[in-house]
Structure formats: C-alpha cells, structure tokens
C-alpha cells in the first residue's frame, strides 16, 4: 500500500504510540532522515531503537532479532528494492514503513495490502505497471481448470465413445485457448517486469520526505531544514540525481529557507541561532577550511579540468591563480588566514577567470549555514564531513555510523569540524590514487565500458573498502580519464577495490557515463547477469544498486562476461 | 635554654604524627574503597592525648603553686591536644560523609565487602541514617518519593542512550522488551535506564 496524501495520519500517527524500530542505511541522506525522525520522536516521547544496516543480510538479522519486541518498523533507504515480506516474514501485527529514494521499488512491496507501506512525498507519482498486468487473480482457477482438463484427457484417452470425443474436443479447444492466453499474458508480464527493473535511479531523498512530514506537523526548524538540505546536496554531489531535479528540489526548499530565516531590520536575532541562506557554491571542496591551492588540486572538477597530475596542467593551474591575482604564498595559506582583500574578492575573481580557463560549471546554487561568528558551513562541506565520518576506516561501520549521527546535531559541531579534517585526508588520498592510476596507465578501456582495479597493498587502501568512498574515487577517476580521452565520455566506469584480504573479497562499483542526463544506471541488472553467467561468487547484498561484493579470483572472468554482455 | 628548646621541638615532632597518619590514610583512599576503621591508630592518638593532658595537669598544678617557666610547655601541649582532636574529628567526620554518600549512590543494603570496613558504631549510624532518610522520603509525597534515584533533577522523561555492549533483552516496566545489542541507539524511559547507565552498559547521549 502506498502512503502519499496523509503522511501525518497514515504514517506518523500510527507509529508514534509504539516502540519503533528504525533501520537505517549508512549514507548521508539516510542519516539526515534518521536524525529528523529522531527529533520528531523525541518531541512526542516515542520510544525507538536505531540500528545501522548496510546490506540485505544485516537487514534480515536486525529484523529477526528485534521483531518480536516492536510493532512498527521504519526502513530508511534500505529494503525498497527487496521483497520484504518474503525476506523478513513479519508477523501479522507488524507494520513496515519504507522511506526509500531508490527506484524501482519492488512491486511486491508496493502492492502489498496491509503490512508494507511505502512513504512518498505528496505529489510524487510512482511509475509502476498495473496490478492486473503483474498479478493475475484468475491464475489459480485457470491452473486448476488446466489440471482437470489434462486429467480428463488421460482418463478418457482409452475410451473412444463419440460423446466423449466431442466433449474432449470442446474442452480441448477451451483449455488450449486458455493456455494460449495465459502464455501471452506471462510473456507480456515478463516484458513489463524486465523494462520496469532495467534501470536503477533515485527519486526524492528520504530526508526531504521526512522534512515535509515535519513541516506538516509544524515541527520544522532550521536544524531539520539544514539536514534536509544536506540530504539533497548528497543527491547532487554523489550523482544520484541530475542537475535539473536538484534545481527543482532546491526551488522547493527556498520558501522554507525564507520562511525560517526571515531577516527583519528592526529585530536582531540572537547570534547563536542557526541561520541558513542561499549561496552560489563553487565546485571547490572545502576551500573555506583548507588552502586555496590544496582545494584546487584536490577537488574533482578543478583537478580534472587542469589535469594537475601533469606538469603542463600544474603550470596551467599556477597561471590561473596568477590570472586571478592571488599570490601563491597566499594561496598556500589557510583560507581564513589569508589577507582580507584576497578573501573578500576571491569569489568575484574566480568567477571572472573561470570562463577563460574553461571552468564553465564552476558554480551551482546551494545553501550555507552559520552559527555565531565562527562557524560557517556550506552544504557541501557538511556533506563531505559526514561522509568522511560515516566511512571512517578506523572504526567499524556501526560505530562510525553512530559517531556521524552524533555529529549531525549542531551542539556537536566540533565533530563536524573534525570530520572536515578527515575529509581533507580522504580527498588527498583519492587524488593521489587517481594520479597513480593515470601515470601507470592502469585504466583499461574495453569497448563498452572503462574499468580499473585498486591493487592490494596500495597505501590508503583502507579508505576505499567502503562503498561511498569507492564511488567517489570512481567518479574522480572517470573525470580524470575523460579529460585525456574524450571518446571515453560515453562509457560507464567500473572500479574494483579489495575489501577483505582474508576472505579475498573485493568491492566493485560502477558509475554511469557522464553524458547520461537522467542518471539512470543499468548496473544492477548487468552485474547480476554477468555474475550468473560466470557462476562468480558474488553477493548483491548492498542496498546501493551500483555496488556489490565478490571474490577476487572471479574478477577477471566477471569482467570478460560483462564485456561480452554489453557488446551484444 | 637552647638545648631545652631543641628538646621540646624534637619532642613535638613526635606529637600529632599519628593523627596526621590517620588523615593521610583517608586522603590516599579517596578514589578507592573506604579503608577499615583504624581502631589501633585512634587508640594510640587517644593515648597520646591522655599523656599530654596528664602532663599538662601536673605542670598547671605546679604553676599555680608558683613554679615559673612552664607556661610555654603547657601552651605547646595544649596546641598538640587541639591538633590531635581536630585530626580525629576530621577522620570520623570524613568517614561519615563517605558512608552517607554511599547510601545515596548505591542503596540501603550494605554488601559484606563494605561492611568490613566499618566499625560497629558506624554501622549503627548507617542504619539510623537510613531510617530517618526513609521517613523523610515517605513524608514528602503521599506515596513516598525516592530521592536517591536521580542525583540531578531530570530534564525529560525519556533519554537517548547508546548501547556499548551486548546486554541482551531488557524488559521495561510497561512490558515492552528491548534488545540491547552493541552499537544500537535507543530512546527509553530515564528511570529504567539509570541503573544500566551506572553499570556502564548504556551511554547517555546528549
């Protein structure tokens, strides 16, 4: 059953009287959504339990251990694409609510009556096939009829009475007609299902859905709005949705920002409250917390445009800085320590010089938040910091998840700042890797796609054994590769990195090609088919459709099969 | 004169030592358990005080009879007596405070390990304290209010806690059972979480 219109009554009010189990996938959007939900629960004194699940097996374990203690379960960004009733086998009284941005949603979940509810934003339309095209209620009766007919046939085969023969013929025709119709229906159903599940894409972020719920309950405030904005920014910067959709969503957020951050001249609000405003953000990661030089060298967009790993590219970068009028000494200092005139004019200078050097899409619309005089963060900063905290290589996934959840509340802003430092290390590691890859020509372009391996034993390998960072590396590498090989622009990019040296498993991530406007990817289908063909030991456990795990020795066969599949 | 003064000073260095030793013993054990009641030490100090007092009595009688030059000795011994008294009172008072804090932190039942460190009178004091605390708590509200449950006034009914180790199932007063698995976060009633927080199984998240 799909819950659209009455999010408040059908979803929130049903769960707020019980102890709720919240199962969350460890990525930024889900974390933000979880935090919003926690705030709502706290306001209503609803007891809850939060558990981090990064894959289908973990979802099942968490559910089976907790299920006899709760009546409502909320799944955030996990389980939308899996057959929940089959997998979890919940009891009659348990209600499962799914807030998932992944599409397509599993049809069994959508058409389930009573136990599984999908929570959508108001006005969202699900493109799903009709119920009758997929589920045939007459199917059972017809099957019985067919069996009877066949039995009748075999019994009567020996007898050869005339009446028996006529009846046989009539029944034979009828059942033949029925069987033909059923066969056609089944063929059509398979086609529909194939087309439905062919492409994976993302729809509204879970944090936006839950923010709207908070708004309808009139419990929204700047903190929740900021979380929603972070979730939305993830969708853009982690390439889950395209630019257009991001801009549309941003326009939807604008009224909320304006409403909650009304600046009137007469009343001066307290300095310690959070204020959000709209900014034109540059595609320079963390430049306000780093040096300009480092930020230019380590941000995906600028590093690839300038090709900073080559000597010529480096010189180009220095020329760019000179053109802007920034002395190199200043650029190598922390942004907050630069001279005032450079800091203030930086934006206008970079806008002016960017076009000259081919940096067209340097700016995009975003938001920034400020508390007091000291702390000012843009949405991108927040995103990078939270990603770094979630995928902290020194901690286990669950611990890192809880730390990141803590860091999202503004009373713990020091944790976000610490996360920014970790993010810087991560970015630098990614860029070093990319440079290694390009220098050693490890990127292979095989017809339908481009792929590369992260070798075992590379330094900083621990960063890349987690899905989000691996995808980031893949995107960076793809951009870098495309900057030198324009023809590779249309090919998707697949990257593999070892994740567990003892078990010999590796993580494989795919990023769609750059020209793909709508960000629809067919990775899940392609990967599953290739794995089936080669009988590779692969586990499609992860909820992220572009990432899966498999044994390292099967890698070569897998890629060969994938090539064969894609060239067909 | 110099030799007598010197003898006096050496003599005085021996006074008050044992009392100080008692106080030092308590200070050393502030982070750990309460040490057993130092009966021996107290007896020695009291002995010392009695010796000093008797000597003082003799000299006071001698002075009233007319002997001179004894005043400084009397004053010195009196100061030592006062010092010893102060140390003894500090000792007893500190122990009393520790036992009282124990009641507020842990509860009205004395485990045998703690009981061993207390002397008879301290145990009796504890029982009487318990009784008067209980009478007071009963008198505040019609049903009685357990003041020792929250050492700071609670700000909310439910608290956010994180589970630090695998505890297993935890049944709450209203019957709901929560599974306390490592690295899960919960929002549960404060009164039922407090003992687990004190034990270290749960961690309070602000």
């Amino acid at each position: 059953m799909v819950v659209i219109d009455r999010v408040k009554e059908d979803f929130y009010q049903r769960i707020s009287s019980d102890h709720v189990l919240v199962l969350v996938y460890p990525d930024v959007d889900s974390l933000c959504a979880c935090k919003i939900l926690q705030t709502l629960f706290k306001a209503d004194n609803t007891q809850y339990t939060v558990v981090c699940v990064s894959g289908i097996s973990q979802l099942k374990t968490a559910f089976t251990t907790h299920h006899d203690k709760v009546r409502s379960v909320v799944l955030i960004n996990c389980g939308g694409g899996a057959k929940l009733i089959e997998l979890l086998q919940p009891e009659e009284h348990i209600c499962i609510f799914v807030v998932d941005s992944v599409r397509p949603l599993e049809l069994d979940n959508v058409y389930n009556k009573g136990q599984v509810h999908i929570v959508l934003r108001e006005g969202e339309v699900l493109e799903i096939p009709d119920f009758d095209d997929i589920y045939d209620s007459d199917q059972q009766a017809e099957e019985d009829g067919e069996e009877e007919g066949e039995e009748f046939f075999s019994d009567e085969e020996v007898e050869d009475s005339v009446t028996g023969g006529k009846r046989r013929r009539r029944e034979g025709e009828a059942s033949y007609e029925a069987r033909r119709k059923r066969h056609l229906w089944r063929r059509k159903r398979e086609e529909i299902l194939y087309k439905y599940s062919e492409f994976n894409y993302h729809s509204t972020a879970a944090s936006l859905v839950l923010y709207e719920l908070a708004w309808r309950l009139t419990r929204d405030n700047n903190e929740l709005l900021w979380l929603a904005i972070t979730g939305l920014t993830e969708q853009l910067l982690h390439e889950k949705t395209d630019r257009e959709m991001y801009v549309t969503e941003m326009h939807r957020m604008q009224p909320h920002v304006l409403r909650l951050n009304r600046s009137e001249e007469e009343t001066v609000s307290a300095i310690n409250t959070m204020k959000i405003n709209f900014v034109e953000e540059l595609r320079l990661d963390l430049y306000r917390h780093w040096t300009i030089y480092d930020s230019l060298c380590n941000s995906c967009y600028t590093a690839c445009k300038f090709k900073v790993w080559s000597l010529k590219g480096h010189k180009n970068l220095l020329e760019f800085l000179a053109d802007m009028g920034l002395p190199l000494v200043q650029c190598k200092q922390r942004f907050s320590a630069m001279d005032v005139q450079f800091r203030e004019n930086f934006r206008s200078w970079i806008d002016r010089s960017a076009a000259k050097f081919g940096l067209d899409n340097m700016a995009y619309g975003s938001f920034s938040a400020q508390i007091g005089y000291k702390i000012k963060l843009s949405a991108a900063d927040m995103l990078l910091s939270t990603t770094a905290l979630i995928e902290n290589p020194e901690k286990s996934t669950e611990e890192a998840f809880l730390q990141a959840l803590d860091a999202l509340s503004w009373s713990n802003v020091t944790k976000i700042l610490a996360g920014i430092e970790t993010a810087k290390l991560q970015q630098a590691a990614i860029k070093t890797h990319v440079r290694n890859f390009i220098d050693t020509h490890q990127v292979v372009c095989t017809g339908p796609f481009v792929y590369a391996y992260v070798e075992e034993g590379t330094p900083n390998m621990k960063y890349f054994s987690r899905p989000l960072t691996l995808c980031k590396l893949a995107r960076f590498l793809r951009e870098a590769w495309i900057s030198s090989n324009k023809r590779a622009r249309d090919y998707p990019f697949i990257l593999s990195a070892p994740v567990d040296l003892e078990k010999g498993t590796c993580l494989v991530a795919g990023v769609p090609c750059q020209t793909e406007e709508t960000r629809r990817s067919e990775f899940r289908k392609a990967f599953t088919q290739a794995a089936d063909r080669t009988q590779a030991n692969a586990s499609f456990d992860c909820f992220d459709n572009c990432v899966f795990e498999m044994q390292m020795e099967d890698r070569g066969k897998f890629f060969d099969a994938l090539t064969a599949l894609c060239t067909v | 004169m110099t030799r007598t003064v010197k003898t006096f000073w050496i003599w005085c260095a021996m006074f008050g030592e044992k009392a100080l030793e008692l106080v030092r013993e308590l200070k050393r054990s502030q982070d750990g358990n309460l040490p057993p009641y130092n009966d021996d030490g107290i007896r020695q100090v009291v002995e010392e005080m009695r010796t000093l007092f008797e000597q003082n009595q003799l000299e006071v009688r001698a002075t009233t009879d007319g002997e001179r030059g004894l005043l400084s000795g009397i004053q010195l011994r009196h100061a030592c007596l006062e010092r010893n008294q102060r140390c003894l009172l500090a000792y007893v008072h500190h122990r009393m405070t520790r036992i009282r804090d124990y009641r507020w932190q842990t509860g009205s039942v004395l485990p045998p390990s703690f009981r061993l460190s207390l002397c008879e009178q301290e145990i009796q004091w504890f029982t009487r304290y318990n009784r008067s605390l209980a009478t007071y708590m009963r008198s505040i509200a019609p049903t009685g209010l357990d003041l020792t449950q929250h050492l700071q006034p609670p700000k909310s009914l439910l608290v956010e806690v994180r589970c630090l180790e695998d505890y297993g199932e935890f049944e709450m007063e209203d019957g709901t059972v929560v599974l306390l698995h490592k690295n899960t976060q919960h929002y549960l009633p404060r009164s039922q979480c407090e003992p687990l927080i004190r034990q270290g199984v749960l961690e309070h998240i602000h």
Side-chain angles (χ1 to χ4, degrees):
Chain A
M1 195 169 84
V2 172
V3 178
I4 305 180
D5 289 327
R6 306 181 329 143
V7 190
K8 197 164 110 171
E9 290 89 358
D10 290 339
F11 169 51
Y12 190 69
Q13 282 175 357
R14 274 177 79 167
I15 57 177
S16 53
S17 47
D18 305 323
H19 188 109
V20 185
L21 176 65
V22 185
L23 300 173
V24 189
Y25 178 63
D27 79 351
V28 180
D29 177 34
S30 333
L31 230 69
C32 293
C34 179
K35 197 83 192 179
I36 296 179
L37 198 59
Q38 274 180 311
T39 319
L40 294 176
F41 282 155
K42 279 191 196 159
D44 279 322
N45 280 339
T46 307
Q47 299 177 23
Y48 62 82
T49 301
V50 173
V51 184
C52 163
V53 291
S54 38
I56 295 188
S57 48
Q58 278 198 14
L59 172 63
K60 189 157 182 206
T61 334
F63 185 81
T64 33
T65 39
H66 283 96
H67 77 300
D68 44 352
K69 288 115 189 144
V70 294
R71 281 219 308 265
S72 312
V73 184
V74 178
L75 300 180
I76 300 186
N77 273 345
C78 56
K83 294 197 173 149
L84 288 175
I85 299 288
E86 231 178 79
L87 175 74
L88 305 176
Q89 292 174 353
E91 273 118 37
E92 292 294 320
H93 61 275
I94 295 186
C95 262
I96 304 179
F97 295 89
V98 179
V99 185
D100 201 336
S101 63
V102 158
R103 301 280 182 272
L105 291 169
E106 177 57 52
L107 287 167
D108 282 350
N109 294 342
V110 177
Y111 284 123
N112 176 278
K113 289 189 181 53
Q115 274 196 297
V116 178
H117 306 263
I118 315 270
V119 182
L120 297 174
R121 196 159 67 172
E122 189 179 325
E124 182 171 350
V125 173
L126 271 187
E127 296 162 1
I128 42 178
D130 290 327
F131 181 78
D132 295 321
D133 284 338
I134 311 295
Y135 301 103
D136 193 5
S137 43
D138 298 331
Q139 197 176 25
Q140 201 57 42
E142 280 184 27
E143 272 186 34
D144 289 337
E146 186 185 8
E147 282 172 22
E148 274 179 37
E150 282 188 307
E151 271 178 27
F152 196 79
F153 254 140
S154 53
D155 283 343
E156 297 292 283
E157 240 174 277
V158 185
E159 289 178 39
D160 211 81
S161 61
V162 175
T163 43
K166 253 201 213 156
R167 222 180 337 154
R168 231 181 2 221
R169 218 183 324 128
R170 244 184 295 132
E171 250 120 25
E173 274 179 25
S175 67
Y176 173 72
E177 198 45 49
R179 265 185 290 155
R180 201 180 72 92
K181 260 212 259 175
R182 224 179 10 262
H183 181 70
L184 282 176
W185 179 87
R186 263 196 229 123
R187 273 260 299 273
K188 189 172 161 227
R189 176 179 182 264
E190 274 172 30
E191 258 178 52
I192 294 180
L193 282 180
Y194 184 82
K195 251 184 24 193
Y196 179 67
S197 56
E198 197 180 354
F199 291 105
N200 300 113
Y201 61 102
H202 286 266
S203 172
T204 330
S207 49
L208 292 176
V209 176
L210 288 177
Y211 177 75
E212 289 236 334
L213 170 66
W215 175 49
R216 286 187 194 287
L217 295 168
T218 59
R219 295 232 181 93
D220 60 332
N221 55 27
N222 261 341
E223 279 203 31
L224 300 186
L225 179 59
W226 183 243
L227 291 170
I229 288 173
T230 313
L232 174 62
T233 316
E234 192 207 11
Q235 291 219 311
L236 176 73
L237 294 182
H238 286 185
E239 295 194 359
K240 287 186 184 177
T241 57
D242 52 17
R243 259 281 168 90
E244 275 174 31
M245 203 169 139
Y246 171 77
V247 170
T248 326
E249 293 296 342
M250 221 181 51
H251 284 308
R252 276 179 92 141
M253 285 285 116
Q254 275 275 48
H256 294 295
V257 172
L258 290 172
R259 176 174 50 92
L260 291 170
N261 292 284
R262 219 191 301 265
S263 61
E264 286 144 4
E265 263 89 63
E266 299 91 44
T267 55
V268 177
S269 52
I271 270 301
N272 272 337
T273 52
M274 186 199 287
K275 286 187 255 299
I276 302 180
N277 41 24
F278 178 81
V279 288
E280 281 266 334
E281 182 65 33
L282 292 172
R283 287 169 76 164
L284 276 184
D285 298 334
L286 302 174
Y287 75 90
R288 288 186 203 89
H289 307 268
W290 220 348
T291 70
I292 296 213
Y293 179 74
D294 279 330
S295 183
L296 280 167
C297 289
N298 290 321
S299 307
C300 176
Y301 185 68
T302 44
C304 297
K305 282 280 178 189
F306 284 121
K307 300 206 249 276
V308 290
W309 46 85
S310 66
L311 213 57
K312 184 161 166 254
H314 191 83
K315 255 187 28 194
N316 240 353
L317 176 71
L318 294 176
E319 233 183 86
F320 176 68
L321 288 173
D323 188 79
M324 277 206 289
L326 289 170
L328 198 58
V329 171
Q330 289 287 326
C331 290
K332 291 199 175 175
Q333 280 208 19
R334 278 187 83 106
F335 190 77
S336 45
M338 281 168 68
D339 280 349
V340 179
Q341 43 152 334
F342 295 124
R343 233 182 319 147
E344 286 184 358
N345 295 320
F346 175 67
R347 259 327 291 274
S348 45
W349 289 346
I350 208 173
D351 284 334
R352 199 187 53 200
S353 311
K356 248 189 268 176
F357 283 79
L359 301 168
D360 303 315
N361 282 332
M362 191 71 164
Y364 63 99
S366 180
F367 298 95
S368 82
Q370 184 168 8
I371 285 191
Y373 293 112
K374 204 165 143 195
I375 301 160
K376 183 169 174 162
L377 288 177
S378 72
D381 295 342
M382 186 88 182
L383 172 70
L384 284 164
S385 163
T386 319
T387 319
L389 286 173
I390 295 176
E391 303 218 318
N392 193 342
E394 271 123 47
K395 300 205 166 81
S396 73
T397 320
E398 288 91 17
E399 278 175 30
F401 170 83
L402 291 175
Q403 299 280 339
L405 200 59
D406 270 349
L408 282 178
S409 43
W410 277 87
S411 49
N412 290 330
V413 83
T414 40
K415 295 200 181 161
I416 285 280
L417 296 174
I420 287 184
E421 301 298 315
T422 323
K424 286 189 210 168
L425 293 172
Q426 227 186 42
Q427 277 297 104
I430 290 181
K431 191 221 139 198
T432 324
H433 254 283
V434 168
R435 195 175 61 195
N436 286 345
F437 270 118
I438 302 283
D439 287 341
T440 52
H441 304 289
Q442 278 179 352
V443 180
V444 182
C445 181
T446 71
F449 58 85
V450 185
Y451 72 90
Y453 304 144
V454 174
E455 300 290 336
E456 296 165 36
T458 37
N460 292 329
M461 194 186 75
K462 55 186 182 173
Y463 285 118
F464 307 123
S465 49
R466 305 278 176 98
L468 289 178
T469 324
L470 188 63
C471 286
K472 236 203 246 177
L473 175 62
R475 278 188 289 267
F476 202 130
L477 196 47
R478 179 197 65 192
E479 293 298 319
W481 183 248
I482 286 177
S483 64
S484 349
N485 304 284
K486 294 277 183 288
R487 62 189 171 86
R489 194 173 269 270
D490 296 326
Y491 298 141
F493 193 95
I494 303 182
L495 183 66
S496 156
V499 68
D500 192 338
L501 291 174
E502 289 166 5
K503 290 191 227 158
T505 50
C506 64
L507 209 59
V508 179
V511 291
C513 59
Q514 213 191 31
T515 52
E516 187 64 57
E517 283 292 325
T518 50
R519 303 272 180 238
R520 290 183 175 228
S521 75
E522 348 168 52
F523 284 120
R524 186 41 75 96
K525 234 188 174 52
F527 286 162
T528 19
Q529 281 182 0
D532 281 334
R533 277 202 198 175
T534 56
Q535 323 251 304
N537 201 343
S539 98
F540 293 92
D541 204 47
C542 187
F543 289 115
D544 190 346
N545 281 318
C546 304
V547 176
F548 75 100
E549 200 174 318
M550 72 175 190
Q551 294 288 104
M552 270 197 280
E553 53 253 11
D554 297 331
R555 209 162 45 179
K557 279 189 301 176
F558 174 81
F559 278 117
D560 292 333
L562 197 60
T563 321
L565 207 73
C566 295
T567 28
V568 157
Chain B
M1 186 60 185
T2 335
R3 205 175 45 157
T4 359
V5 167
K6 239 194 230 168
T7 339
F8 270 144
W9 279 119
I10 299 167
W11 219 6
C12 295
M14 290 166 12
F15 293 145
E17 274 285 330
K18 292 206 189 59
L20 190 60
E21 193 49 52
L22 283 176
V23 175
R24 269 206 208 106
E25 184 189 340
L26 270 191
K27 185 157 169 78
R28 252 181 264 131
S29 70
Q30 251 177 357
D31 296 326
N33 298 324
L34 195 65
Y37 189 76
N38 203 338
D39 223 7
D40 232 11
I42 298 226
R43 210 173 5 93
Q44 284 176 357
V45 174
V46 171
E47 267 304 316
E48 195 182 291
M49 284 171 78
R50 199 174 319 123
T51 330
L52 283 172
F53 186 68
E54 278 167 7
Q55 275 183 339
N56 256 4
Q57 289 283 55
L58 278 173
E59 294 211 351
V60 164
R61 246 179 263 128
T63 319
T64 44
D65 288 342
E67 203 175 319
R68 312 228 328 205
L70 298 173
L71 214 55
S72 33
I74 295 172
Q75 274 183 331
L76 192 73
R77 278 190 219 96
H78 191 74
C80 293
L81 275 173
E82 283 188 329
R83 175 93 178 136
N84 277 341
Q85 181 192 40
R86 189 174 173 197
C87 288
L88 285 180
L89 284 176
Y91 183 77
V92 175
H93 184 260
H94 185 84
R95 284 182 72 89
M96 195 178 83
T97 322
R98 291 271 289 263
I99 299 169
R100 186 195 62 189
D101 288 340
Y102 182 84
R103 166 68 185 91
W104 281 86
Q105 296 275 2
T106 323
S108 60
V109 180
L110 276 179
S113 53
F114 194 68
R115 221 187 164 89
L116 283 172
S117 343
L118 304 184
C119 76
E120 202 41 57
Q121 291 97 327
E122 286 179 330
I123 296 177
Q124 283 175 7
W125 180 85
F126 186 77
T127 335
R128 286 202 303 271
Y129 183 76
N130 266 346
R131 215 178 298 142
S132 65
L133 183 63
T135 324
Y136 177 63
M137 292 200 290
R138 241 177 288 134
S139 70
I140 308 176
T143 48
L145 182 67
D146 190 1
L147 290 170
T148 60
Q149 208 180 41
H150 302 295
L151 290 173
Q152 280 169 351
K155 292 255 166 23
S156 62
L157 199 58
L158 303 169
V159 282
E160 177 127 20
V161 288
R162 181 174 299 168
C163 201
L164 297 173
E165 36 187 68
D166 274 332
Y167 182 77
E169 288 186 9
F170 177 58
E171 180 154 0
M172 297 200 287
E173 276 170 9
D174 55 354
T176 36
V177 181
V178 183
L179 187 73
L180 294 175
H181 204 62
K182 189 171 176 188
N183 284 331
T184 48
Q185 199 144 315
H186 308 266
Y187 192 59
L188 301 172
R190 178 183 274 269
S191 47
Q192 286 149 57
C193 289
E194 285 259 292
L196 288 175
I197 295 178
R198 263 188 238 131
Q199 271 178 37
V201 174
L202 295 177
E203 182 194 347
H204 181 38
I205 307 291
H206 296 279

